[in-house]
């Protein structure tokens, strides 16, 4: 292990002198944090809506049609108990739910104010804010119709009682940070490790190192440890910065958070090593890294596009994208305060990915060195 | 005679259908400087990489420092030092950091490391410049530092693959002084080069061509191919015109260009310089000088390459 240490120290020193790598490791995360945190906005239509109508009166049906006719909402489910809403929301089948209380029709006819509950998935704060605006507009319009029918009544008849799940204060950072962490992990780990190893091949230093009596394992450990430390530090840095800048909560335990990040980065580093055993030039390595890890992390993890709304083929592909599991675990630990058992599936998937890819990389490297 | 440091028997390496090294056999004695010559792609590096345990032979065997390379490449690595053809230090690290890294992977520690570090710095002439970045060093220093790093662990056998490529003549001379020194201390050195003047430093030379061993011996032995084939050096205003005229003579076996002069290999000692001059005049070429010269290694090399390629 002293030899692994020698490799590790050398690698650290190289990273420190390599501006481009440092740039990737440190600047890009900050850039994305600011870009997404302040600039990105999504235009939303066809929000998937579940309706729980406990009243089943002409008035309640009018309200539901008002939601659907607004063009902003698509009713995809009718439910009878609230637990169903929880399930649908957790599986990302709906983004919002409308709950109409029993007696709405009677109360409206009598001129008694009533509240209608709208539940919104708050993970993506931008979307949630917009959706809440739509719901409020629909309800205000409906309420005004009844008020005109009964002039002199002071308060609006129908009131919106919004409930935002997962992210009650609707802060976009809460949606952003997990995705950003996934991104940083991929960039730092995959790209830098792949490039670092391939660079040694290109420059011929790899042959020199192979001449030393050092096994594949100490070499791999020494080579990836610095990147693990750096990307772990960057990840923790983003969490801390988000706590300060955006009041990101860490509702679950830090240990669980670090475990999830560690497992994810482990897999990403292995991925980088594997790529380095396939690619002969830095350019090729970079392209493979981009296609195999960076793009899937952005596109197929549920970071930008919800998995539930992807075509089936792509949905299947997402099962081998580690960021998918990482995002579930992170959102769980950060936003929902999930405990170990709740995220154990995702952690296991991350572990499995890491172990499989490490084995592949080691086998390939052994073969190359033999 | 002691056992050879390196024994190579019928060594062959294929890449697909292409035979990069073709049935090569030779021995290298302990303490010998063994030179490897050959055109680009002749198979020198491939041979060295097999001897270092970096590449598996397709067939044949090689024993280095008493260990069979094909059977135990890891054990070989402990006994040898290797400087690859590509430049092989970490340019982003300082001189000292490079030495520490290689010391680390070779498992050198404590007093031994301190001694070898001092040795490498001294050998490279970099004492006092430990903190310089390696990429800022001039070629000669880098090459000497690379050698120092390659032999930090005091291996009895050293492989140097084109160690002096792209280095100025003064640095090359200094580098060869180091090689001579290593050899005097009993280290076996196998070195490849494209500089024929460097080859004169070697105790014995192997010439490779298209994967095959074309010739092997001391410089003097190699020059014996010109036994009974004297070489005439011809200077003329236009070397190309002179060459054409010489090629047309029945006494001339072949010609080659040497700087501004032409070397003509004659078929026998009967042909004198005067006769060549006269013949040239008849052909309309006024030679400024025609005189017999000793064959140089370059003559040998060109001759070998031409004959084995034919
Ligand atoms: N890994 C490889 N795969 C396929 N072909 C290879 C491989 N390594 C070397 N070769 C081929 O084997 C031949 C011999 O290469 P080698 O590097 O041994 O030549 P060399 O004598 O060292 O040449 P140079 O003077 O240019 O260094 C070349 O034609 C080269 O293209
Ligand atoms: Mg070569």
């Amino acid at each position: 292990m002293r030899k692994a240490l020698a490799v590790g120290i050398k690698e650290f020193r190289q990273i420190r002198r390599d501006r481009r790598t440092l740039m990737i490791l440190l600047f890009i995360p900050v850039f994305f944090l600011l870009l997404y945190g302040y600039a990105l906005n999504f235009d939303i239509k066809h929000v998937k809506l579940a309706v729980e109508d406990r009243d089943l009166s002409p008035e309640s049906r009018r309200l539901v049609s008002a939601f659907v006719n607004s063009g902003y909402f698509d009713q995809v489910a009718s439910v009878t108990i609230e637990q169903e809403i929880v399930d649908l929301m957790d599986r990302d089948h709906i983004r919002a739910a409308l709950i109409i209380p029993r007696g709405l029709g009677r109360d409206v006819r009598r001129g008694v104010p009533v509240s209608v509950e709208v539940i919104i998935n708050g993970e993506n704060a931008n979307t949630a804010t917009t959706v809440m605006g739509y719901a409020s507009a629909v309800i205000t319009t409906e309420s005004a119709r009844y008020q005109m029918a009964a002039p002199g009544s002071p308060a609006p008849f129908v009131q919106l009682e919004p409930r935002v799940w997962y992210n009650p204060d609707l802060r976009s950072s809460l949606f952003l940070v997990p995705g950003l962490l996934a991104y940083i992990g991929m960039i730092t780990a995959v790209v830098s490790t792949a490039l670092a190893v391939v660079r040694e091949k290109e420059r011929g230093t790899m042959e020199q190192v192979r001449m030393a009596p050092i096994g594949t394992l100490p070499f791999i450990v020494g080579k990836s440890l610095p990147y693990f430390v750096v990307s772990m530090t960057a990840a923790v840095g983003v969490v801390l910065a988000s706590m300060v800048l955006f009041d990101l909560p860490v509702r679950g335990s830090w240990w669980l958070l670090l475990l999830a990040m560690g497992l994810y980065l482990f897999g990403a580093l292995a991925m980088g090593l594997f790529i380095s055993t396939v690619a002969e030039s830095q350019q090729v390595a970079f392209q493979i890294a981009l296609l195999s890890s960076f793009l899937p992390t952005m596109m197929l993890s549920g970071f930008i596009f919800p998995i539930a709304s992807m075509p089936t083929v792509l949905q299947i592909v997402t099962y081998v994208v580690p960021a998918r599991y990482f995002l579930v675990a992170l959102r769980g630990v950060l936003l929902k305060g999930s405990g170990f058992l709740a995220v154990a599936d995702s952690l296991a998937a991350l572990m499995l990915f890491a172990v499989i890819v490490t084995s592949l990389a080691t086998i390939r490297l052994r073969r190359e060195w033999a | 005679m002691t056992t050879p440091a390196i024994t190579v028997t019928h060594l062959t390496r294929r890449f697909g259908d292409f035979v990069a090294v073709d049935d090569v056999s030779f021995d290298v004695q302990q303490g010998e400087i063994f030179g490897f010559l050959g055109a680009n792609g002749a198979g020198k590096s491939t041979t060295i990489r097999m001897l270092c345990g970096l590449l598996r032979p397709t067939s044949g065997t090689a024993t280095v420092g008493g260990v069979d390379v094909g059977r135990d490449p890891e054990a070989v690595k402990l006994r040898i030092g290797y400087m690859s053809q590509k430049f092989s230090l970490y340019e982003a690290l300082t001189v000292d950091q490079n030495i520490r890294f290689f010391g680390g992977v070779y498992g050198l520690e404590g007093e031994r490391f301190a001694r070898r570090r001092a040795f490498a710095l001294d050998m490279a002439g970099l004492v006092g410049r430990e903190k310089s970045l390696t990429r800022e060093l001039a070629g000669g220093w880098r090459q000497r530092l690379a050698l120092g790093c390659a032999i930090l662990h005091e291996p009895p056998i050293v492989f140097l693959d084109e160690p002096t490529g792209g280095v100025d003549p003064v640095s090359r001379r200094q580098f060869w002084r180091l090689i001579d020194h290593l050899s005097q201390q009993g280290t076996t050195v196998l070195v490849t080069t494209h500089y024929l003047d460097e080859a004169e430093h070697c105790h014995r030379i192997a010439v490779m061509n298209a994967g095959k061993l074309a010739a092997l011996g001391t410089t003097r032995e190699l020059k014996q191919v010109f036994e009974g084939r004297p070489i005439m050096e011809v200077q003329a205003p236009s070397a190309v015109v002179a060459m054409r005229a010489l090629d047309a003579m029945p006494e001339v076996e072949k010609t080659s260009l040497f700087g501004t002069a032409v070397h003509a290999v004659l078929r026998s000692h009967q042909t004198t310089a005067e006769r060549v001059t006269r013949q040239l005049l008849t052909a309309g070429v006024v030679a400024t000088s025609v005189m017999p010269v000793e064959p140089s290694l370059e003559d040998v090399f060109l001759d070998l390459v031409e004959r084995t390629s034919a």
Side-chain angles (χ1 to χ4, degrees), chain A residues 249-262:
Chain A
V250 181
R251 300 212 171 89
S253 87
W254 266 95
W255 289 117
L256 209 51
L257 182 64
L258 291 177
L259 180 66
M261 295 199 296

Side-chain angles (χ1 to χ4, degrees), chain B residues 74-135:
Chain B
E74 292 311 308
V76 169
K77 290 180 184 175
L78 294 172
R79 291 168 170 75
I80 61 172
Y82 168 64
M83 214 175 129
S84 70
Q85 181 173 359
K86 285 186 188 172
F87 186 64
S88 52
L89 294 170
Y90 292 98
E91 307 203 357
L93 299 187
T94 66
V95 170
D96 194 43
Q97 286 166 350
N98 264 301
I99 298 178
R100 281 180 193 284
F101 169 69
F102 284 106
V105 290
Y106 275 105
L108 302 188
E109 285 165 24
E111 189 273 329
R112 177 154 183 238
F113 173 71
R115 184 168 54 79
R116 294 305 290 172
R117 175 176 171 271
F119 162 83
L121 284 171
D122 179 56
M123 192 187 79
L126 287 168
V127 177
R129 295 186 61 189
E130 293 87 347
K131 293 216 160 57
S132 308
L133 279 186
T134 309
R135 76 160 72 90

Side-chain angles (χ1 to χ4, degrees), chain A residues 17 200 203 207-208 210, chain B residues 49 54 82 87 90 92:
Chain A
R17 293 238 172 70
E200 294 220 16
R203 302 225 173 125
E207 263 200 4
Q208 207 64 51
R210 276 179 56 196
Chain B
R49 297 185 54 200
L54 287 171
Y82 168 64
F87 186 64
Y90 292 98

Side-chain angles (χ1 to χ4, degrees), chain B residues 255-271:
Chain B
T255 54
S256 39
L257 212 54
F258 270 68
T260 56
V262 179
H263 278 196
V265 179
L266 306 180
R267 292 189 196 279
S268 85
H269 282 289
Q270 253 64 111
T271 321

Side-chain angles (χ1 to χ4, degrees), chain A residues 292-293 296-297 300-301 317-326 350 353:
Chain A
S292 66
S293 33
T297 302
L300 298 177
S301 64
V317 177
T318 63
Y319 283 106
V320 294
V321 176
R324 174 199 167 121
Y325 305 101
F326 184 53
L350 287 176
F353 179 85

